[in-house]
Amino acid sequence: MDAQIKHGLLDVCVLAAIKNEDSYGYKIIKDMKPYIELSESTLYTVLKRLETSNMLTVKTAEHDGRLRKYYHITDNGIKRIDEFKNEWNEILSIYKFVSKGDNGNEKGRIS
Protein backbone atom coordinates (compact mmCIF):
# COMPACT_ATOMS: atom_id res chain seq x y z
CA MET A 1 0.00 0.00 0.00
CA ASP A 2 1.21 3.50 -0.78
CA ALA A 3 2.93 4.99 2.29
CA GLN A 4 1.00 8.27 2.16
CA ILE A 5 -2.34 6.48 1.93
CA LYS A 6 -1.35 4.25 4.84
CA HIS A 7 -0.29 7.27 6.94
CA GLY A 8 -3.63 8.93 6.25
CA LEU A 9 -5.55 5.81 7.19
CA LEU A 10 -3.58 5.32 10.40
CA ASP A 11 -4.10 8.97 11.35
CA VAL A 12 -7.87 8.67 10.96
CA CYS A 13 -7.97 5.34 12.80
CA VAL A 14 -6.12 6.80 15.79
CA LEU A 15 -8.39 9.84 15.80
CA ALA A 16 -11.42 7.55 15.72
CA ALA A 17 -10.01 5.58 18.67
CA ILE A 18 -10.00 8.72 20.83
CA LYS A 19 -13.08 10.38 19.36
CA ASN A 20 -15.48 9.44 22.15
CA GLU A 21 -13.11 9.57 25.11
CA ASP A 22 -9.56 10.53 25.97
CA SER A 23 -7.20 7.59 25.85
CA TYR A 24 -3.58 6.52 26.24
CA GLY A 25 -1.18 4.53 24.07
CA TYR A 26 -1.74 0.99 25.27
CA LYS A 27 -5.53 1.38 25.24
CA ILE A 28 -5.47 2.89 21.74
CA ILE A 29 -3.51 -0.12 20.45
CA LYS A 30 -5.88 -2.51 22.25
CA ASP A 31 -8.98 -0.75 20.87
CA MET A 32 -7.62 -0.80 17.32
CA LYS A 33 -6.36 -4.41 17.43
CA PRO A 34 -9.56 -6.02 16.05
CA TYR A 35 -9.27 -3.78 12.98
CA ILE A 36 -5.59 -3.10 12.41
CA GLU A 37 -2.25 -4.22 13.87
CA LEU A 38 -0.24 -1.29 15.14
CA SER A 39 3.12 -1.32 16.88
CA GLU A 40 3.90 1.05 19.74
CA SER A 41 6.60 2.80 17.73
CA THR A 42 4.20 3.39 14.84
CA LEU A 43 1.46 4.61 17.18
CA TYR A 44 3.69 7.14 18.90
CA THR A 45 4.89 8.44 15.52
CA VAL A 46 1.25 8.90 14.48
CA LEU A 47 0.34 10.54 17.79
CA LYS A 48 3.22 13.01 17.47
CA ARG A 49 2.20 13.83 13.88
CA LEU A 50 -1.42 14.40 14.98
CA GLU A 51 -0.31 16.58 17.88
CA THR A 52 1.89 18.66 15.57
CA SER A 53 -1.10 19.04 13.21
CA ASN A 54 -3.29 20.25 16.10
CA MET A 55 -5.64 17.29 15.70
CA LEU A 56 -5.12 16.17 19.27
CA THR A 57 -3.80 17.47 22.53
CA VAL A 58 -1.82 15.66 25.21
CA LYS A 59 -2.02 15.90 28.96
CA THR A 60 -0.02 13.98 31.51
CA ALA A 61 -1.70 12.55 34.59
CA GLU A 62 -0.63 10.18 37.32
CA HIS A 63 -2.08 6.68 37.18
CA ASP A 64 -1.07 4.01 39.72
CA GLY A 65 2.00 6.01 40.71
CA ARG A 66 3.18 6.48 37.10
CA LEU A 67 2.78 9.32 34.68
CA ARG A 68 0.58 8.50 31.72
CA LYS A 69 -0.07 10.60 28.61
CA TYR A 70 -3.73 11.00 27.70
CA TYR A 71 -4.70 12.05 24.20
CA HIS A 72 -7.74 14.23 23.45
CA ILE A 73 -9.16 14.87 19.99
CA THR A 74 -9.54 18.52 18.95
CA ASP A 75 -12.05 20.16 16.62
CA ASN A 76 -9.44 19.82 13.86
CA GLY A 77 -9.29 16.08 14.55
CA ILE A 78 -13.08 15.75 14.36
CA LYS A 79 -13.00 17.74 11.12
CA ARG A 80 -10.35 15.35 9.71
CA ILE A 81 -12.58 12.34 10.47
CA ASP A 82 -15.49 14.04 8.68
CA GLU A 83 -13.26 14.86 5.69
CA PHE A 84 -12.11 11.24 5.58
CA LYS A 85 -15.71 9.99 5.48
CA ASN A 86 -16.39 12.23 2.48
CA GLU A 87 -13.14 11.15 0.81
CA TRP A 88 -14.00 7.51 1.42
CA ASN A 89 -17.11 7.80 -0.75
CA GLU A 90 -14.86 8.97 -3.60
CA ILE A 91 -12.38 6.16 -2.91
CA LEU A 92 -15.20 3.59 -3.04
CA SER A 93 -16.37 5.03 -6.33
CA ILE A 94 -12.84 4.77 -7.77
CA TYR A 95 -12.56 1.20 -6.45
CA LYS A 96 -15.83 0.25 -8.17
CA PHE A 97 -14.53 1.73 -11.42
CA VAL A 98 -11.17 -0.06 -11.17
CA SER A 99 -12.85 -3.36 -10.22
CA LYS A 100 -15.50 -3.13 -12.91
CA GLY A 101 -15.53 -6.32 -14.89
CA ASP A 102 -13.59 -8.38 -12.36
CA ASN A 103 -16.60 -10.53 -11.51
CA GLY A 104 -17.38 -11.37 -15.13
CA ASN A 105 -20.73 -9.58 -15.14
CA GLU A 106 -19.46 -6.53 -17.01
CA LYS A 107 -17.08 -6.14 -19.90
CA GLY A 108 -14.85 -3.77 -17.97
CA ARG A 109 -14.34 -1.49 -20.97
CA ILE A 110 -14.87 2.21 -21.34
CA SER A 111 -16.45 3.22 -24.63
Side-chain angles (χ1 to χ4, degrees):
M1 177 181 291
D2 179 73
Q4 283 190 310
I5 291 172
K6 191 170 185 176
H7 281 164
L9 292 173
L10 288 176
D11 289 359
V12 173
C13 287
V14 170
L15 290 170
I18 64 171
K19 184 172 92 171
N20 295 323
E21 66 179 339
D22 294 357
S23 193
Y24 54 94
Y26 176 76
K27 186 171 183 322
I28 294 169
I29 290 172
K30 185 177 154 194
D31 291 345
M32 291 177 61
K33 192 170 186 156
Y35 308 99
I36 186 169
E37 287 290 324
L38 188 64
S39 70
E40 281 187 49
S41 61
T42 299
L43 173 64
Y44 289 108
T45 300
V46 170
L47 289 168
K48 188 64 179 166
R49 183 171 54 241
L50 292 172
E51 181 183 7
T52 302
S53 301
N54 296 314
M55 292 189 205
L56 59 79
T57 58
V58 183
K59 76 174 184 180
T60 304
E62 190 173 325
H63 178 78
D64 292 336
R66 295 180 28 201
L67 291 179
R68 179 184 280 172
K69 287 185 177 182
Y70 287 88
Y71 299 91
H72 174 80
I73 194 166
T74 64
D75 290 341
N76 286 340
I78 297 289
K79 182 179 175 186
R80 178 63 195 114
I81 290 172
D82 292 340
E83 289 170 351
F84 171 78
K85 289 176 184 177
N86 290 330
E87 292 166 357
W88 191 251
N89 289 328
E90 184 178 357
I91 291 168
L92 286 176
S93 182
I94 292 167
Y95 176 81
K96 287 178 186 176
F97 174 75
V98 170
S99 299
K100 191 166 87 174
D102 286 353
N103 62 8
N105 294 334
E106 302 176 49
K107 294 183 189 279
R109 295 180 183 223
I110 301 173
S111 300

